[in-house]
């Protein structure tokens, strides 16, 4: 019997589908790579989807469940309204169901697709994904609000959030490096440009030249549509430039800049300036994140369609 804990990596294993669906991982990789080749924004989308899944009820694909008349699901919570990549998981799942009906979970499909999407740039797997997750049957918007880290968070709020998931300050800094790819809407950081303390001021911890550049993109506090690259000059490349930029006070979010306000996390940022070091640490932290509160064995279910619970 497994005692429910924050981290149950011990129940996940390599090649969980070796006998039940031998082609599962190959199918995920093939479809993911075909779609990423067409749309280079998908690695950031799928990585974020996986992260937002794992931080709410663990990595159980609860983020994929659609709301019903009497239940507002995670995906309709404010922090999740800008999530993308759902259709990729649906396409992969349709193929998996054709090949091996009822065998491969949506949670594993998402974990594998996120890895394969980011890895496409390198043509080799960037981290190991253990499998055997099962799908949750509950998805509540209120839990997404309560559990997802906010781009406005300070260091103490961030570390509390990560520790509640069994992750460390090291994981917090390393996983923030996912901001090396993708973009963000202006309203998630424009307070740093125009009204940081409520007096129409700018965040002094933001590089002034970078702030001036951001102001040319985000013209006012009310801009909710414009998007800006999170890693200036390198937003399509998965690399360590996020940490290099961060040291130069060019982190986009308050939650990025917050990593420089604590002695330990600031030191870790300094140790991740080279891509080879970042990749090694990211592989370890992703493995830990991918094991948060996983459902295994007889828990949960294997959803037929990722957006709908079976029963």
């Amino acid at each position: 019997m497994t005692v429910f804990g924050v981290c149950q990596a011990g129940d996940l294993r390599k090649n969980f589908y070796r006998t039940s669906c031998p082609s599962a991982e190959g199918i995920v990789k093939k479809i993911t790579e075909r779609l990423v080749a067409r749309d280079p924004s998908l690695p950031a989308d799928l990585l974020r989807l996986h992260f937002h899944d794992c931080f709410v009820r663990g990595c159980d694909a609860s983020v994929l469940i659609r709301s019903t008349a009497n239940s507002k699901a995670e995906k309709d919570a404010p922090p999740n309204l800008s999530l993308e990549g759902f259709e990729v998981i649906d396409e992969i799942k349709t193929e998996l169901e054709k090949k091996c009906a009822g065998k491969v979970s949506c949670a594993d499909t998402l974990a594998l697709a996120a890895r394969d999407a980011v890895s496409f740039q390198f043509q080799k797997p960037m981290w190991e994904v253990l499998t055997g997750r099962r799908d949750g049957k509950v998805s509540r918007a209120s839990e997404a609000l309560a559990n997802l880290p906010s781009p406005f968070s300070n260091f103490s709020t961030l570390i509390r959030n990560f520790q509640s998931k069994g992750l460390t300050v090291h994981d917090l800094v390393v996983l923030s490096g996912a901001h090396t790819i993708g973009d963000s809407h202006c309203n998630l950081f424009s307070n740093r440009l125009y009204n940081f303390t409520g007096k129409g001021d700018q965040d002094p911890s933001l590089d002034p030249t970078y702030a001036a550049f951001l102001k040319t993109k985000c013209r006012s506090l009310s801009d909710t549509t414009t998007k800006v690259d999170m890693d200036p000059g390198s937003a399509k490349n998965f690399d360590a430039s996020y940490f290099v930029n961060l040291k130069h006070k060019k982190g986009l979010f308050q939650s990025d800049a917050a990593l420089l306000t604590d002695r330990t996390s600031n030191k870790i940022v300094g140790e991740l300036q080279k891509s080879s070091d970042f990749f090694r640490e990211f592989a370890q932290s992703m493995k830990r994140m991918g094991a948060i509160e996983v459902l295994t064995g007889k828990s949960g279910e294997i959803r037929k369609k990722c957006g709908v619970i079976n029963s």
Side-chain angles (χ1 to χ4, degrees):
M1 178 186 131
T2 304
V3 178
F4 182 77
V6 167
C7 200
Q8 299 184 332
D11 295 329
L12 300 178
R13 55 182 190 264
K14 277 186 203 180
N15 295 318
F16 179 82
Y17 300 106
R18 193 175 350 195
T19 50
S20 61
C21 187
S23 56
E25 295 195 21
I27 290 170
V28 175
K29 184 170 186 277
K30 189 174 166 210
I31 297 175
T32 302
E33 292 190 339
R34 173 169 54 76
L35 296 173
V36 169
R38 267 198 338 231
D39 179 0
S41 66
L42 277 180
D45 294 340
L46 292 171
L47 191 53
R48 184 165 179 243
L49 201 52
H50 180 34
F51 179 87
H52 280 228
D53 179 32
C54 291
F55 264 66
V56 187
R57 290 191 164 261
C59 314
D60 67 341
S62 54
V63 74
L64 305 177
I65 295 173
R66 289 195 289 272
S67 293
T68 58
N70 52 9
S71 165
K72 192 176 174 188
E74 287 171 33
K75 69 184 292 188
D76 290 317
N80 285 337
L81 292 174
S82 57
L83 288 177
E84 295 179 64
F86 294 98
E87 70 293 336
V88 175
I89 304 304
D90 289 339
E91 187 173 330
I92 297 168
K93 180 63 172 166
T94 302
E95 197 53 43
L96 288 169
E97 285 299 304
K98 274 187 209 159
K99 196 83 180 165
C100 331
K103 296 293 183 201
V104 184
S105 69
C106 298
D108 277 343
T109 302
L110 176 52
L112 290 163
R115 189 268 314 270
D116 293 340
V118 172
S119 301
F120 179 67
Q121 176 191 330
F122 304 94
Q123 290 297 300
K124 66 175 189 191
M126 294 302 282
W127 65 90
E128 181 181 54
V129 175
L130 301 178
T131 42
R133 295 168 192 78
R134 286 168 66 85
D135 298 326
K137 300 182 186 187
V138 176
S139 183
R140 296 190 188 108
S142 58
E143 293 183 357
L145 265 174
N147 285 279
L148 287 167
S150 154
F152 303 105
S153 293
N154 62 18
F155 182 79
S156 56
T157 305
L158 288 170
I159 192 59
R160 234 186 359 256
N161 187 296
F162 273 66
Q163 284 174 341
S164 74
K165 306 296 168 194
L167 300 175
T168 64
V169 61
H170 189 264
D171 295 318
L172 162 62
V173 178
V174 171
L175 292 171
S176 295
H179 291 168
T180 177
I181 49 173
D183 52 31
S184 164
H185 286 95
C186 288
N187 54 306
L188 295 181
F189 58 85
S190 56
N191 66 310
R192 301 184 74 198
L193 306 175
Y194 296 112
N195 199 25
F196 189 58
T197 64
K199 296 177 187 157
D201 54 342
Q202 193 169 294
D203 182 347
S205 73
L206 189 60
D207 174 80
T209 314
Y210 184 42
F213 163 75
L214 290 173
K215 283 179 171 174
T216 67
K217 300 282 189 187
C218 307
R219 298 288 184 172
S220 73
L221 279 172
S222 57
D223 184 341
T224 57
T225 50
T226 308
K227 286 180 169 183
V228 174
D229 288 345
M230 289 195 285
D231 189 4
S234 177
K236 292 279 187 279
N237 285 321
F238 193 82
D239 55 25
S241 65
Y242 164 84
F243 295 104
V244 176
N245 285 327
L246 186 54
K247 270 289 190 211
H248 291 109
K249 301 187 174 180
K250 294 179 186 175
L252 190 60
F253 302 126
Q254 264 170 270
S255 60
D256 294 321
L259 302 179
L260 301 178
T261 63
D262 172 82
R263 216 174 71 209
T264 307
S265 62
N266 190 6
K267 183 167 175 281
I268 299 165
V269 170
E271 289 163 359
L272 295 170
Q273 301 285 304
K274 292 213 314 270
S275 288
S276 54
D277 296 327
F278 168 49
F279 294 161
R280 185 187 63 244
E281 299 305 325
F282 193 75
Q284 296 301 317
S285 289
M286 282 302 291
K287 213 165 160 179
R288 280 198 284 276
M289 188 195 85
I292 296 172
E293 291 170 41
V294 290
L295 301 170
T296 56
K298 296 266 188 282
S299 304
E301 65 179 10
I302 305 294
R303 261 178 248 149
K304 293 184 183 67
K305 286 195 166 152
C306 293
V308 189
I309 56 174
N310 291 349
S311 45

